[in-house]
Amino acid sequence: DCVKVLSRRDVLDVAHKDDEVPWFPIKIAELDRFASQILSYGADLDADHPGFTDDVYRKRRKIFADIAYNYKHGEPIPAVEYNEAELKTWSTVFTKLSTLFETH
């Protein structure tokens, strides 16, 4: 198991020289314990972000952030309604990545 290997002290000691082993999630539900901290870190856009002054983008980003922030393991994954521009974007991304999959 990858989780068992990663939670072993000798593996963690490579990255952490302290005597104390940092907390590491063993069960997927434990990710809820710090998900809000990770999501809140990316809540604000830097002034040099392309969407910084785009109110439509910021509102849409907040919708996705709120969904992620409020989700807890074991709940049904919320359905997201994508708009036409988003569907087109993800179609383009998927098509391109599909061609790269075999060689990368």
Side-chain angles (χ1 to χ4, degrees), residues 3-4 8 10 29-30 36 38 40 60 70-71 80 83-84 101-102 104:
V3 172
K4 287 180 183 174
R8 285 185 16 216
D10 56 338
E30 293 174 346
S36 61
I38 293 169
S40 65
R60 187 68 173 148
N70 292 309
Y71 176 78
V80 175
N83 64 40
E84 188 174 327
F101 179 71
E102 300 257 346
H104 289 76

Side-chain angles (χ1 to χ4, degrees), residues 23-62:
W23 176 80
F24 187 86
I26 301 298
K27 299 176 183 170
I28 195 165
E30 293 174 346
L31 294 175
D32 291 339
R33 177 175 163 183
F34 64 87
S36 61
Q37 295 168 353
I38 293 169
L39 290 166
S40 65
Y41 175 76
D44 295 321
L45 296 176
D46 291 332
D48 62 348
H49 187 283
F52 183 75
T53 59
D54 184 341
D55 286 336
V56 173
Y57 172 81
R58 291 176 73 98
K59 286 177 186 172
R60 187 68 173 148
R61 178 183 165 106
K62 183 173 177 357

